Amino acid sequence: MAESKKMLRVEISRFDPDRDEVPKTQEYEIPVQDDWKVLDAINYIKDEVDPSISHRWSCRMAVCGSCGMMLNGEPKLTCKTPLSDYDETIKIEPLANFPIVRDLVVDMDGFMDKFRKVKPWIVRAKARAEDMEDLNEKGTFSQSPDQLATFKQFSMCINCLLCYAACPVIANEPEFIGPAAIALGHRYNLDSRDEGQAERNSIFRGEGTVFSCSFANECSEVCPKNVDPAAAVNQAKLAAVVDWAKGLVLPREGA
Amino acid sequence: MKHLLLKLEPIIWLLFGAGLSVGTMLLTGFVLVVGLAIPMGLVPSDALDYERAHALASNGFGRLVLLGLIALPLWKGAHHVRSLSVDFNGGDRDGAVGVLVYTAAALCSLIAIVAVVRL
Amino acid sequence: MVQVSRHDIVIVGGGGAGLRAAIAAAEANPDLSIALVSKVYPMRSHTVSAEGGAAAIARDDDNEELHGFDTVKGSDFLGDQDVIEYFVENAPRELALLENWGCPWSRNEDGSVSTRAFGGMSTKRTWYATDKVGFHMLHALFQHSLRFDNIVRYDEFFVTKLLVEDGRCQGVAALEIRTGEFHAILGRSVILATGGAGKIFPFTTNGTIKTGDGMALAYQAGVALKDMEFVQYHPTGLPGTGILITEAARGEGGYLRNNKDERFLVDYDYGVGDKAELGPRDMVSRAIIQEFEAGRGFEGRYGKYCVVDLRHLGEKHIDAKLPFVRELAKIYIGVDPVHEYIPIRPVVHYMMGGVDTDINAATELPGLFAAGEVACASLNGANRLGSNSLTECLVFGAVAGRNAIEFAQGAGEGNSSALVSQAEEEAARVEALRGNGRGNEKIAGLRHEMNSTMEAGCGVYRMQESMQIAATETRSIRKRAADLHLKDSSRVFNTEIVSALELQNMVELAEVLAVSAAHRKESRGAHTCRDYPTRDDQSFLYHTLAHRTDDGPRLGRKEVKLGHWEPQERKY
Amino acid sequence: MTRAAHPEAMAPPKKGPTRTAPPRMPGSWWGAPRIRTYLLFGATGVVYFLAGTVVLHLVWALGKGPDAWATVMASLSHPLYLVFHALTLISVLFVGIRAFGTMMPKMQPRGGPLPVLAPGLVRGLIYSAWAALTLVFSLILAGKIGS
Ligand SMILES: Cc1cc2nc3c(=O)[nH]c(=O)nc-3n(C[C@H](O)[C@H](O)[C@H](O)COP(=O)(O)OP(=O)(O)OC[C@H]3O[C@@H](n4cnc5c(N)ncnc54)[C@H](O)[C@@H]3O)c2cc1C
Ligand code: SF4
Ligand code: F3S
Ligand code: FES
């Protein structure tokens, strides 16, 4: 640590619902190391300067999805973003478009609710026992590498919520289910093992789903895992429309 | 109102998409020549004197292209105006704005049908 | 003051093991209510970071005898062979189930699941989803669990105590992090699935949540911890951060090199030819330290290191099989493995020891079950084979879920008021910590002390003397941790109090670890004493048990369940 | 961050157990080049709508007869019209580049009978179609093809 003693001004948004009406900003001046990520600076402050800061983090390797925050107004994973991207000051705020619980912590429950709405699991028409005939002798479904590639990209989402913090529609339309959740539903729709397309497509045509997206593409710009949720949402849009048109021509059973 | 819109959403989106793609493709040549080149004298104006224009427009294909040229940009425009309104005013009045812009687009599209049929 | 809720079973932990247990329980009886309590949202659990793969027989050239023997031998004959046989037999079914639930396993051209080579495994039996296996498994499990209405989640609740009454475990006391309120979550049986405790050490692949809470909870409730001296060092962690470069990097054909550019593992002879790099983790870690000591390590800002060489695999292969390794190396150490070496050094990775459980995932305390890394079913013995533990989470998570349901169905409601008053006492204890400015010890300071004590005393190579010192020091650190100084007195999302509770858990375990290690005067698996360099089956072929007393752990022993594989010299 | 987002943006299904501060929009919402591009893209909607009505106006005149047609064609050289058409051309190019260049390649249906092509290839194909169509259409209108 001795070799580099660069000082950095860190402005952190603070909010304690028991004491503050609205979030306020607190400044810290700390020595930083050139190979630190932004998360290291926050942890340094928490350990050495002000233990009352609250933030979420765990894996520090960009895979658990807990550490998303606004850095100078841009949604970023703090454990992935090098401090060297910032010169003298850095402003750290909780993710935009979410209610703020405390300091850098946002309320995720709204997201968890939306996440479940798209039925993010394999839907099969038959009961499990009868399904066995589709399985091979090892008990697995057969799926070619090409079939896997169809949805693989959309299964890489770590639920970091950066896309929600970036999407202009989320900011204005509370019902919008949003990029990551729709991408997840679309991922299951594309999975060769799944038979829930009709169900999900009718969910997708409901309020606050695919048609709310105005293809701002912001979600894909900020996604740290290259999920390209904008692609997923808009493919889902197209698929839901095609499915609707098919329904006009050949009326669906049961629907 | 929101409910009705929701039912129509797939058609609206198809029309929007057509405006975005086909509309853009048609408009490019059209503004280039009719909107700019002819008025600026880069192309002699008799290229589109009444006889030739009418002949081009009044066959079946011509009427169809003209209808697309009018209606598709209208729908693309209406849909964009609606989402702009969400971006600036929030989603609360989305239903009302939607009905307003789509009604305008639908009316103009109807007039367009009359116009091309009348040719 | 304490909020009370009642369920049939309570599961602590939403990682691979906890989710698998919840699903097994929910399927076993859809009418029973299952509480899933986790200190982070389930998909943040550290299972998410596992990279390399999960082992189960998949190919025709493989069989139960081979997987079983690999595991027994890997465990340096300290594994219980009944557990190992059960595990090996059930592993393929569990991984296939996960496939049915949507896990995107990598595939062969014919549509079957693809497998890769792993250290200490005699054939390709490690299932993988590129190199983000834990991530895909955890998300598949979590998403699948959402379809069950009888799984009730308590997200971001920190469990601080097991509620024990009438000699059986009947619930947990938990701090709701969001509100600062205390809850008594009652059930007729409880499953611990809280994962490992790597954070006792300074340099680890583990995330910040891996503080061994569940081990401490059980230990404080009087349950024995088993084999805590066995700590797995993974050979390849990035210097500085400790971020893991998965063993799959070597499984896919990567080399380890020293500063002479030699593939030094060829000389250590843990495998032949192309498999020289695929020795078990304990041995490869020791080999790297020996290279350092012989002056053949590189010198860097964070001490000595060796390198992983993937260049010969080519960009295409790396991107197809190891994209996450490439991403991590680029972001965290600024190296592109397509063209450059990745610096690595051995890093604390996994706890072989844990809460003493049997083949039924049951502990000695009726009504308390444990599975996953928190438990020590003695599958892994003295050294875990890479890719056995993700599968362990599934196999024994399912066992725990089913058995906990069965136990709950046969057990009565119990005495709620006694349980609630226990929870109230616990609430008062924790409340006293909040913003406690009278204490003298800084959380971060004490954590650093514990970390460096453990690194010095219980590293890859250990000495009697240094382990004894660690044992004494950790005892005093444990006592000092009762006197923490906290600054944050707020109620809502107070993470300082969580860190304090985690530290108090870790110092307990650090002491158990050091004391257990000092007592084992032999070298076996991951426990390598310079003073006692050989394995001593005569005196030490048993599991170490540790029960809690106020003066430190009281050690005992438990027989190793041998079977048809006789202990022999462990050579590769 | 600049301004308040919708007070219920990403709100939980039932009110959380503690008071929260209302959501804010990202600071870059309007200021950042990326968002500006998106809003400008939306704004082209207005231009398109007007362009549609202009064409309608022309066609209506054509239906009325030679005199009406001549008047309307003459009016097109009014500077306001010229400015508007220049704006339309810019909008059309901008929309084309964004829609054909970035949006449509992402929207290829997957898992269906059609193969998924590389985005670059799709972009190239659509651009070529656009250029070809524009060329042919312009030549027809300018009287170089067809009589
Ligand atoms: C970097 C890395 C790579 C790995 N790679 C592999 C691999 O390739 N193959 C393999 O087989 N194994 C691998 N492992 C090991 C394996 O991932 C773990 O052993 C396994 O994931 C542990 O799962 P678990 O369910 O027991 O615990 P975890 O996933 O750690 O989950 C613990 C859960 O308990 C909860 N919890 C903890 N304490 C409390 C508390 N006090 N109150 C409430 N909740 C609590 C947490 O919130 C979390 O939900 C790897 C490990 C690491 C660190
Ligand atoms: S889609 Fe990308 S940005 Fe959105 S939550 Fe998933 S990983 Fe994060
Ligand atoms: S940013 Fe939002 S509007 Fe659509 S393309 Fe992404 S969800
Ligand atoms: S800490 Fe896990 S993603 Fe950043």
Side-chain angles (χ1 to χ4, degrees), chain C residues 38 143 295 323 332 347 402 464 472 497 521-522 567:
Chain C
S38 173
Q143 289 160 14
Y332 293 99
V347 51
R402 287 192 291 265
Q464 257 310 304
T472 338
I497 199 165
K521 298 189 176 59
E522 64 161 347

Side-chain angles (χ1 to χ4, degrees), chain A residues 39 57-67 77-79 158:
Chain A
L39 181 63
W57 69 287
S58 171
C59 69
R60 57 81 182 86
M61 54 191 273
V63 70
C64 76
S66 1
C67 68
L77 278 188
T78 51
C79 69
I158 59 172

Side-chain angles (χ1 to χ4, degrees), chain C residues 549-570:
Chain C
T549 75
D550 281 341
D551 305 320
R554 173 170 51 80
L555 295 188
R557 56 174 71 181
K558 186 175 179 179
E559 286 314 307
V560 176
K561 293 219 181 68
L562 296 175
H564 74 281
W565 294 297
E566 290 290 327
Q568 49 174 259
E569 198 197 339
R570 183 165 165 247

Side-chain angles (χ1 to χ4, degrees), chain A residues 20 97 171 214 217 228 235, chain D residues 1 6 19 21 24 38 106:
Chain A
D20 306 322
N97 298 342
S214 51
N217 204 37
D228 202 351
Q235 284 168 23
Chain D
M1 283 178 260
H6 191 292
R19 192 171 71 86
R24 314 276 304 165
Y38 159 69
K106 286 191 185 194

Side-chain angles (χ1 to χ4, degrees), chain A residues 56 98-101 105-110, chain C residues 41 178, chain D residues 10 12 16 20:
Chain A
R56 290 191 179 108
F98 285 88
I100 300 159
V101 169
V105 177
V106 296
D107 190 342
M108 276 183 61
D109 287 351
Chain C
Y41 280 89
R178 166 83 181 261
Chain D
M10 293 313 282
T20 51

Side-chain angles (χ1 to χ4, degrees), chain A residues 156-164 179-180 183 219 222-225 227 229:
Chain A
M156 304 299 281
C157 169
I158 59 172
N159 305 335
C160 67
L161 309 182
L162 300 192
C163 51
Y164 283 76
C219 48
V222 301
C223 177
K225 295 277 127 181
V227 176

Side-chain angles (χ1 to χ4, degrees), chain D residues 2-29:
Chain D
T2 47
R3 65 182 178 110
H6 191 292
E8 272 149 39
M10 293 313 282
K14 61 174 202 277
K15 208 163 161 285
T18 60
R19 192 171 71 86
T20 51
R24 314 276 304 165
M25 284 181 183
S28 55
W29 194 76

